């Protein structure tokens, strides 16, 4: 058992701004020894396509090789996160009838989830599958785990997560060129929900909005699955781009202004937010530009949620590097969305910022998955920690 906890886990996180490779080993519950974390900026993606796919693949290969070299790991398996823009989720109701009334075992759950995978789209590949909830014919309740219970029929609503094949082929090739023999893919919105919310929080519907640099995902989950996933190409980088275009200032200065603006404040017209000796950005102007973009951002998020009939009291959990850390953004968005908004971030020492959510969630989930074969995905190993 000690060897399992000391085994290295390697993950590659692909965001719309950064390519990140992490090598870590779990030492105790919620305690990781991070042996390497290598990050590199690259061109990114929008609308489900990389601006420069070859450059993205090179960046992935480079950060993986550097992380392996600096950590001296001998791990031959890598888990690659698939961001929301490249993931499609399908939820299917599935039922199986057992040979008799008896205790439900792992193989029954394997068979049930395998049975519901009926998509044969050549452009997508199944990467994860997990049930939101189960029911049995011997009870009228819903359960998040039914293994060990007695029943003659088992039913479930199962989330099937598919990645674009061009994404998996691009990064599988990059990982193998970096020396990895085995490559697994994990849907990032699913990983974030599982890793950052406690089991009790996932008993009810949750909404997670990961606003990145130029891409945002809206995931709605419950139990161990995702009931909905929407993505669109907008993020924190658009705030800086708007300031850059409207005020005709250097982009670096516009980025600094977008980081400093505080939406909680009412600025005097002559209050300077940032300057570089040649250009001046006034706080009031920057604030209005940012608010206009966030109005548009909130309109898209609200439109996605309104179509899902989620009660207004269910909060939006905001994370990611793009908007979550902006002062006043939480209150501003809550007003526009008409529901509570809270910021969520991982709780791993040294990686506790909202911008760390995707890579930390991948590491946590991958460490659990690394203890089992692919069947571990569809045994819902997170249901009470059972295997």
């Amino acid at each position: 058992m000690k060897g399992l906890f000391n085994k290295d886990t390697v993950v590659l996180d692909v965001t719309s701004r950064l390519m990140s490779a992490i090598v870590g080993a779990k030492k105790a519950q919620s305690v990781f020894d991070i042996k390497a974390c290598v990050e590199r900026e690259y061109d990114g993606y929008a609308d489900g396509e990389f601006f420069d796919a070859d450059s993205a693949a090179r960046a992935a290969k480079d950060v993986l090789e550097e992380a392996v070299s600096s950590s001296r790991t001998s791990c031959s398996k890598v888990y690659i996160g698939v961001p929301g823009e490249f993931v499609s989720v399908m939820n299917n109701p599935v039922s199986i009838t057992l040979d008799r009334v008896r205790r439900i075992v792992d193989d029954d759950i394997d068979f049930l989830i395998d049975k519901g995978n009926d998509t044969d789209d050549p452009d997508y590949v199944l990467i994860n599958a997990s049930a939101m909830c189960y029911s049995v014919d011997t009870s009228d309740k819903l359960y998040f785990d039914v293994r060990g219970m007695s029943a003659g029929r088992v039913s479930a609503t199962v989330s099937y997560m598919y990645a674009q094949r061009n994404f998996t082929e691009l990064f599988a090739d990059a990982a193998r060129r970096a020396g990895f023999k085995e490559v697994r893919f994990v849907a990032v919105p699913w990983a974030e929900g599982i890793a950052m919310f406690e089991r009790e929080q996932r008993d009810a519907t949750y909404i997670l909005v990961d606003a990145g640099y130029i891409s945002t995902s809206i995931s709605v989950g419950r139990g161990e699955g995702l009931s909905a996933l929407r993505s669109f190409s907008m993020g924190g980088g658009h705030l800086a781009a708007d300031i850059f275009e409207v005020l005709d200032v250097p982009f670096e200065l516009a980025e600094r202004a977008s980081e400093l603006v505080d939406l909680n404040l009412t600025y005097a017209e002559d209050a300077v937010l940032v300057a570089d000796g040649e250009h001046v950005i006034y706080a009031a102007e920057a604030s209005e530009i940012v608010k206009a973009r966030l109005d548009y951002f909130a309109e898209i998020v609200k439109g996605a949620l309104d179509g899902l009939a989620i009660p207004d009291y269910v909060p939006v959990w905001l994370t990611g590097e793009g908007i979550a850390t902006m002062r006043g953004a939480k209150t501003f968005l809550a007003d526009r969305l008409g529901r509570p908004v809270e910021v969520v971030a991982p709780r791993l020492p040294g990686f506790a910022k909202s911008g760390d959510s995707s890579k930390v969630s991948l590491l946590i989930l991958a460490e659990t998955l690394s203890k089992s074969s692919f069947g571990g995905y569809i045994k819902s190993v997170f249901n009470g920690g059972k295997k």
Side-chain angles (χ1 to χ4, degrees):
M1 181 64 72
K2 181 177 179 181
L4 287 175
F5 281 99
N6 289 333
K7 185 178 180 181
D8 290 343
T9 300
V10 182
V11 300
L12 176 71
D13 183 35
V14 183
T15 74
S16 56
R17 185 178 70 92
L18 290 174
M19 201 73 68
S20 306
I22 298 182
V23 180
K26 189 173 183 180
K27 295 301 183 182
Q29 186 67 29
S30 301
V31 178
F32 280 81
D33 174 19
I34 304 299
K35 299 182 178 181
C37 180
V38 180
E39 296 184 331
R40 180 165 301 176
E41 290 193 15
Y42 76 111
D43 293 336
Y45 56 81
D47 300 319
E49 293 185 4
F50 288 95
F51 295 119
D52 187 335
D54 291 338
S55 175
R58 285 194 300 271
K61 175 178 175 291
D62 289 346
V63 295
L64 284 172
E65 288 179 338
E66 187 174 339
V68 168
S69 176
S70 61
S71 66
R72 298 183 178 180
T73 184
S74 59
C75 185
S76 62
K77 181 192 300 183
V78 61
Y79 292 83
I80 300 176
V82 185
E85 286 207 27
F86 300 89
V87 176
S88 177
V89 174
M90 180 177 294
N91 288 286
N92 289 340
V94 190
S95 297
I96 59 170
T97 300
L98 305 183
D99 54 328
R100 64 184 186 282
V101 175
R102 59 170 174 78
R103 296 176 75 86
I104 302 166
V105 298
D106 286 343
D107 287 345
D108 299 323
I109 302 302
D110 278 357
F111 180 72
L112 182 148
I113 297 183
D114 276 337
K115 179 183 176 183
N117 177 29
D118 56 5
T119 297
D120 56 1
D121 189 332
D123 295 328
Y124 285 85
V125 58
L126 178 68
I127 56 171
N128 310 120
S130 191
M132 285 191 288
C133 57
Y134 296 90
S135 63
V136 294
D137 60 352
T138 53
S139 173
D140 57 0
K141 297 181 180 179
L142 294 176
Y143 300 90
F144 294 112
D145 190 7
V146 293
R147 284 168 293 167
M149 296 178 60
S150 293
R153 185 175 178 82
V154 184
S155 302
T157 299
V158 182
S159 298
Y160 296 93
M161 287 154 266
Y162 302 88
Q164 291 183 17
R165 188 176 295 276
N166 55 9
F167 181 100
T168 61
E169 289 178 349
L170 180 71
F171 286 96
D173 180 66
R176 292 190 176 103
R177 285 188 287 113
F180 290 92
K181 297 179 180 179
E182 191 173 354
V183 182
R184 301 282 179 84
F185 292 93
V186 179
V188 170
W190 179 57
E192 289 180 329
I194 296 293
M196 292 198 296
F197 297 123
E198 298 294 339
R199 170 71 179 276
E200 293 73 19
Q201 291 177 281
R202 290 184 275 111
D203 283 349
T205 296
Y206 66 85
I207 304 168
L208 179 64
V209 175
D210 185 335
Y213 190 65
I214 52 177
S215 179
T216 293
S217 65
I218 308 165
S219 53
V220 180
R222 187 186 180 201
E224 315 299 340
L226 292 179
S227 58
L229 176 63
R230 306 284 188 272
S231 298
F232 59 99
S233 296
M234 188 185 299
H238 290 80
L239 306 178
D242 289 348
I243 296 173
F244 163 75
E245 291 180 359
V246 174
L247 301 182
D248 192 23
V249 296
F251 188 76
E252 293 75 12
L253 198 66
E255 276 196 310
R256 184 64 179 148
S258 69
E259 295 168 355
L260 292 175
V261 70
D262 187 339
L263 302 183
N264 293 312
L265 302 178
T266 300
Y267 291 104
E269 289 188 7
D270 59 349
V272 175
L273 185 63
V274 64
D276 65 358
E278 182 179 352
H279 303 88
V280 175
I281 297 179
Y282 292 99
E285 290 182 323
S287 180
E288 289 306 309
I289 293 169
V290 166
K291 287 179 180 178
R293 173 60 69 171
L294 288 182
D295 268 331
Y296 185 25
F297 177 90
E299 181 181 334
I300 296 174
V301 174
K302 189 175 189 304
L305 296 179
D306 285 349
L308 298 174
I310 302 172
D312 291 342
Y313 61 79
V314 177
V316 165
W317 294 93
L318 183 64
T319 195
E321 68 168 322
I323 295 173
T325 58
M326 175 176 287
R327 289 179 289 275
K330 181 177 74 170
T331 302
F332 183 90
L333 291 175
D335 178 69
R336 299 306 193 269
L337 295 175
R339 65 174 70 239
V341 174
E342 299 293 340
V343 173
V344 63
R347 295 182 289 274
L348 189 66
F351 297 86
K353 298 178 180 178
S354 57
D356 298 322
S357 293
S358 56
K359 56 178 169 281
V360 170
S361 297
L362 282 173
L363 180 65
I364 293 172
L365 198 59
E367 191 280 333
T368 303
L369 296 176
S370 68
K371 298 176 183 177
S372 59
S373 64
F374 178 76
Y377 289 115
I378 56 181
K379 289 178 184 175
S380 297
V381 294
F382 307 105
N383 287 332
K386 297 179 182 178
K387 292 185 180 179

